[in-house]
């Protein structure tokens, strides 16, 4: 069983102006006007740097962020099914399947970790940066073959490989950086002492973003929380963009075929999923199926580049749901 699962299982502004009337301010002196102009220029430059540092995420930053996001998924899913021996055997099997699929991907060296959430009613799957992939107990009960499960895992692996959550993280990071820049400008204009108003973690973030751009989240839990909470909220409330979901489906077909599974099984499984629930923000299942069927049809042409798909489907397998998984989810 992955050491990351054991670790996870153990873990349980912009300024708004006050209303009301204010006394009239005296006109700015030339010196004050020059100072204000300089401060505005500095804030604009700081805002530009906030945008410039997008996609500058180190692998260590991704792992730290991903572990924090993973803890959120585990908490929301009722914990991991690790308490019993059947649950541990199930996780070992899940990780064997998942690791095989991840080895076919463009990021095979990530420390991939696969887990099952206790959630018994909602059919859902989720992933986090750094290689964390989760499915619910309810989803495992709904798959009818190992190939269908492989399809779900491959879809989530693809989100990680394509860095879809990291793109949302870039948005959050840039927004928080701009908040810090705005605060710094406001404090300078009113000549307040920065440490009395600006959250210290935002000051540290602003310094880092305007320096190397590297955030050491391992040593800054306050900043990690400030970045993780809005990211998880955004993923829960809005999910991934529809085009990101289609892209993850398309890559999943390649991973499934590369691992020796019949990709048609995944397409069939999509048709059994309930609309809504954990798939509220996904495109309609029928549209996903139609796009995937079109990809498989196009794959019959050799110039498509879908080299993983053999000329005859007889070399591909679907297999029964592994006994360890079936036993643990009854």
């Amino acid at each position: 069983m992955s050491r990351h699962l054991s670790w996870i299982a153990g873990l349980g502004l912009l300024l708004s102006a006050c209303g009301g009337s204010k006394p009239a301010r005296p006109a700015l002196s030339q010196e004050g006007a020059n100072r204000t102009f300089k401060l505005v220029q500095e804030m604009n430059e700081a805002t530009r740097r906030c945008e410039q540092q997008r996609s500058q995420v180190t692998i260590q930053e991704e792992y730290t962020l991903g572990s924090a996001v993973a803890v959120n998924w585990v908490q929301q899913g009722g914990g991991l099914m690790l308490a019993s021996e059947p649950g541990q055997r199930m996780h070992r099997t899940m990780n064997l399947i998942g690791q095989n699929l991840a080895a076919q991907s463009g990021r095979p060296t990530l420390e991939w970790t696969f887990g099952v959430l206790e959630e018994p009613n909602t059919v859902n799957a989720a992933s986090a940066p750094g290689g964390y992939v989760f499915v619910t107990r309810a989803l495992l009960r709904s798959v009818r073959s190992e190939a269908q499960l492989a399809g779900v895992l491959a879809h989530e692996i693809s989100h990680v490989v394509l860095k879809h959550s990291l793109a949302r993280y870039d948005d959050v990071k840039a927004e928080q950086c701009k908040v810090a820049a705005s605060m710094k400008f406001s404090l300078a204009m009113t000549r307040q002492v920065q440490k009395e108003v600006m959250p210290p973690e935002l000051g540290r973030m602003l310094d880092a973003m305007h320096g190397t751009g590297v955030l050491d989240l391992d040593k800054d839990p306050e900043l990690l929380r400030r970045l993780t909470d809005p990211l998880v909220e955004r993923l829960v409330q809005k999910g991934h963009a529809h085009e990101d979901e289609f892209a993850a489906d398309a890559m999943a077909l390649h991973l499934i075929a590369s691992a020796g599974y019949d990709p048609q099984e995944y397409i069939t499984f999509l048709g059994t999923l309930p609309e809504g629930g954990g798939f509220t923000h996904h495109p309609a299942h029928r549209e996903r199926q139609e796009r995937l069927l079109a990809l498989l049809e196009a794959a019959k042409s050799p110039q498509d580049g879908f080299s993983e798909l053999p000329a005859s489907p007889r070399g591909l397998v679907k297999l029964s749901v592994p006994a360890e998984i079936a036993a643990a989810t009854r």
Side-chain angles (χ1 to χ4, degrees):
M1 185 192 345
S2 169
R3 61 187 175 86
H4 296 288
L5 282 178
S6 300
W7 177 78
I8 292 173
L11 296 178
L13 322 133
L14 288 170
L15 295 176
S16 55
C18 297
S21 59
K22 297 181 180 180
R25 294 181 178 178
L28 281 176
S29 64
Q30 185 62 46
E31 179 184 357
N34 291 341
R35 177 173 175 274
T36 298
F37 179 73
K38 181 179 179 182
L39 287 172
V40 170
Q41 283 186 314
E42 290 177 354
M43 188 185 75
N44 289 339
E45 173 61 17
T47 300
R48 185 188 69 80
R49 291 295 299 274
C50 291
E51 284 291 334
Q52 191 179 49
Q53 294 291 3
R54 286 178 179 271
S55 302
Q56 301 298 312
V57 179
T58 65
I59 187 62
Q60 188 55 51
E61 185 179 346
E62 180 179 356
Y63 276 134
T64 304
L65 174 73
S67 63
V69 173
V71 168
N72 274 268
W73 292 147
V74 170
Q75 290 173 338
Q76 292 183 39
L80 287 167
M81 294 179 62
L82 280 173
S84 65
E85 178 58 30
Q88 293 178 26
R89 287 198 300 269
M90 174 187 62
H91 274 96
R92 285 193 288 269
T93 301
M94 276 277 296
N95 275 269
L96 285 173
I97 297 170
Q99 295 285 352
N100 181 31
L101 290 162
Q104 320 301 321
S105 77
R107 304 188 73 188
T109 59
L110 282 182
E111 297 179 11
W112 291 93
T113 302
F114 300 85
V116 182
L117 305 177
E118 287 280 6
E119 171 54 51
N121 300 315
T122 303
V123 175
N124 199 11
S127 56
Y132 293 94
V133 174
F134 301 102
V135 298
T136 61
R137 180 201 290 255
L139 186 143
L140 283 188
R141 285 175 173 167
S142 66
V143 296
R144 294 294 175 262
S145 70
E146 185 175 319
Q148 291 184 357
L149 173 59
V152 174
L153 298 181
H155 177 88
E156 295 303 327
I157 288 169
S158 298
H159 277 309
V160 177
V161 171
L162 295 169
K163 301 185 178 182
H164 290 153
S165 292
L166 285 182
R168 304 289 78 74
Y169 171 63
D170 274 345
D171 295 338
V172 170
K173 189 160 65 169
E175 289 165 7
Q176 291 297 317
C177 181
K178 291 174 186 177
V179 167
S182 177
M183 283 185 173
K184 186 174 182 179
F185 170 77
S186 177
L187 294 170
M189 283 294 295
T190 56
R191 299 182 186 278
Q192 295 181 47
V193 180
Q194 181 173 329
K195 66 180 182 180
E196 293 180 353
V197 178
M198 179 183 286
E201 67 272 16
L202 279 185
R204 294 192 295 272
M205 179 184 186
L206 192 61
D207 290 342
M209 293 289 279
H210 294 174
T212 63
V214 176
L215 302 182
D216 191 350
L217 299 180
D218 278 323
K219 297 180 180 178
D220 202 334
E222 294 87 1
L223 180 56
L224 176 61
R225 183 176 62 253
R226 181 176 282 273
L227 295 173
T228 301
D229 289 350
L231 172 61
V232 172
E233 182 179 2
R234 191 163 302 190
L235 291 173
V236 170
Q237 292 184 354
K238 297 183 178 179
H240 295 295
H242 282 195
E243 286 308 313
D244 288 349
E245 295 292 352
F246 291 133
D249 273 344
M251 180 176 285
L253 280 195
H254 286 263
L255 299 183
I256 298 163
S258 294
Y261 296 105
D262 183 353
Q264 180 63 53
E265 281 290 292
Y266 176 54
I267 300 174
T268 300
F269 177 68
L270 289 177
T272 69
L273 292 174
E275 297 289 351
F279 299 91
T280 300
H281 306 296
H282 285 62
H285 301 322
R286 180 176 293 277
E287 184 176 0
R288 295 174 68 186
Q289 287 180 295
E290 289 173 353
R291 289 203 182 201
L292 290 176
L293 287 170
L295 282 175
L296 285 185
E297 184 63 27
K300 295 176 182 179
S301 176
Q303 67 267 21
D304 174 73
F306 202 160
S307 58
E308 302 89 344
L309 195 66
S312 171
R314 280 180 286 183
L316 300 171
V317 298
K318 61 179 183 180
L319 303 177
S320 300
V321 176
E324 299 88 347
I325 291 176
T329 56
R330 287 194 187 107

